[in-house]
Amino acid sequence: MDIETVEVILTVAQCENYTEAAQMLRYTPSAISKRVSRAEKELGVELFVRGKKSSRLVLTPVCRSMVGDFATIRESWANITQKAARAVSEAHQSTLRVGSSEKHWISRNDEIVARFIAEQPATHVVVTSAAWTKLSEYLLQGHLDIAFVTMVDDFLRYRSVLRDGIADKFDVILVDRIRSMYLAISENAPEASLTNAKLTDFADYAIAFNEEFEDEDSVVRAHYQPFKHLSEQYGFRLKTVVVNTRQPSAYIIARKGGVAIPTPVPVVNVPGITSVRLTDWPSCVSEYCVVPKGKRTDAVACMLAIVERMRIPENNG
């Protein structure tokens, strides 16, 4: 029994009339009758009998008990065809798997991805956010096609990066350098009235860092070093607190006061938080595009073309 016959049985059961069912399904009444007869022979049971009025059909008890099952078959077949159509569509649709550093601000890297989506609407973009150690792993394993990384200073100089031979495995393009650094603090703090400040104004604060900064070999430790050097220059001990500054939940701690979260751009739309720019910030935050060496797909080539158009040349950074 094919799915068309299942549809015929359900339609006849609904209309209780061959002629009406034929009109709904765009068949002839004789074609409807033949399909019902073939189904009854195949199943070995009678499905419909003539009612008191010769034009009406009556569902036999066994047919009435089967209607729900026939409806389930029709629904399951519809799901199957939809999934098959989706699979065919996705097979013909280009997919670009993009990695991105975890962060809480919108950057030029994000603008590049948005531009690609606007210019290549036929390409499905999947973005995965993670720390650099994971992103590099995914790139090398072929789970990502390209990644956008945000780091303090030049991460190609970091000991762990040099040890892993990143320069031999990836092409790294500098996208932008952000020269400013802000501290996100409670809007109720006395320092919240300042537009610009030095780190000494925050000597009593605990500066928030991600837990990786405690690892001497981690690239994330570079986020900590400029603050450490400044505090040593001014002669006070740098207080630190370990939270996940990449997550909005970190600002719950900052709102309570006494904790400052470093951010390269002013924090916006975070209730209870304001940002103060450090005038003595000695470093920069760099944004990179990282792609494995070797053959590239058309989607990756298109993304790299957009990177070249939108990146800030290093000598102008």
Side-chain angles (χ1 to χ4, degrees):
M1 184 183 302
D2 55 32
I3 192 65
E4 287 81 6
T5 300
V6 170
E7 187 68 43
V8 165
I9 293 171
L10 286 170
T11 306
V12 172
Q14 175 188 344
C15 298
E16 297 182 353
N17 181 280
Y18 282 153
T19 302
E20 291 181 18
Q23 290 173 348
M24 289 183 65
L25 296 175
R26 298 183 182 277
Y27 287 149
T28 62
S30 62
I32 294 290
S33 177
K34 287 179 182 178
R35 280 188 176 269
V36 171
S37 297
R38 193 180 306 127
E40 289 177 328
K41 184 176 180 180
E42 185 177 341
L43 294 172
V45 295
E46 190 177 30
L47 298 175
F48 303 97
V49 294
R50 290 286 180 182
K52 291 180 181 180
K53 294 182 178 181
S54 60
S55 63
R56 310 310 297 178
L57 298 172
V58 176
L59 282 68
T60 63
V62 67
C63 180
R64 197 174 301 280
S65 71
M66 291 178 177
V67 167
D69 297 316
F70 284 127
T72 299
I73 292 172
R74 179 173 62 183
E75 183 178 353
S76 297
W77 181 253
N79 290 336
I80 290 171
T81 56
Q82 287 176 6
K83 289 178 180 179
R86 193 180 305 119
V88 171
S89 175
E90 290 176 354
H92 288 84
Q93 182 183 47
S94 174
T95 298
L96 184 67
R97 300 163 301 171
V98 179
S100 176
S101 288
E102 298 172 315
K103 58 187 184 302
H104 54 259
W105 70 89
I106 299 299
S107 69
R108 182 164 293 271
N109 289 343
D110 300 310
E111 294 172 0
I112 289 171
V113 174
R115 179 67 62 85
F116 177 88
I117 293 173
E119 294 185 7
Q120 302 292 327
T123 300
H124 181 52
V125 177
V126 179
V127 179
T128 300
S129 295
W132 163 247
T133 50
K134 283 295 182 184
L135 293 179
S136 61
E137 202 175 291
Y138 296 155
L139 286 167
L140 291 173
Q141 293 173 349
H143 300 321
L144 291 177
D145 301 306
I146 195 168
F148 292 94
V149 184
T150 302
M151 294 287 177
V152 169
D153 291 324
D154 184 357
F155 87 110
L156 287 176
R157 294 202 301 255
Y158 297 164
R159 183 170 59 185
S160 61
V161 171
L162 292 171
R163 179 198 62 208
D164 294 339
I166 297 301
D168 298 326
K169 302 171 183 175
F170 301 108
D171 288 325
V172 180
I173 304 168
L174 177 67
V175 174
D176 196 8
R177 288 203 194 278
I178 306 171
R179 302 290 179 182
S180 298
M181 179 60 70
Y182 293 80
L183 291 181
I185 61 173
S186 170
E187 63 182 13
N188 296 322
E191 295 79 10
S193 61
L194 301 174
T195 302
N196 299 298
K198 293 185 176 181
L199 188 63
T200 49
D201 293 313
F202 297 92
D204 294 329
Y205 277 73
I207 309 299
F209 297 100
N210 294 303
E211 59 184 2
E212 300 100 313
F213 93 93
E214 296 176 337
D215 181 0
E216 286 285 350
D217 234 13
S218 171
V219 294
V220 179
R221 189 169 178 80
H223 296 213
Y224 164 75
Q225 293 298 339
F227 290 97
K228 180 175 181 290
H229 294 158
L230 272 181
S231 67
E232 291 173 347
Q233 175 185 323
Y234 290 131
F236 68 88
R237 185 180 67 85
L238 182 68
K239 298 178 183 177
T240 61
V241 63
V242 175
V243 296
N244 190 345
T245 64
R246 308 181 186 108
Q247 299 297 325
S249 58
Y251 294 101
I252 296 175
I253 299 174
R255 279 201 298 265
K256 294 180 179 179
V259 173
I261 300 178
T263 174
V265 297
V267 175
V268 294
N269 297 327
V270 179
I273 293 292
T274 190
S275 301
V276 179
R277 179 177 176 272
L278 290 179
T279 58
D280 52 356
W281 175 247
S283 189
C284 64
V285 172
S286 301
E287 298 180 337
Y288 302 90
C289 172
V290 183
V291 61
K293 292 181 180 293
K295 188 177 180 180
R296 287 154 189 174
T297 64
D298 291 342
V300 171
C302 288
M303 178 67 85
L304 290 177
I306 294 173
V307 168
E308 287 298 328
R309 292 204 316 262
M310 296 185 64
R311 75 185 186 94
I312 303 297
E314 187 168 3
N315 58 357
N316 293 332

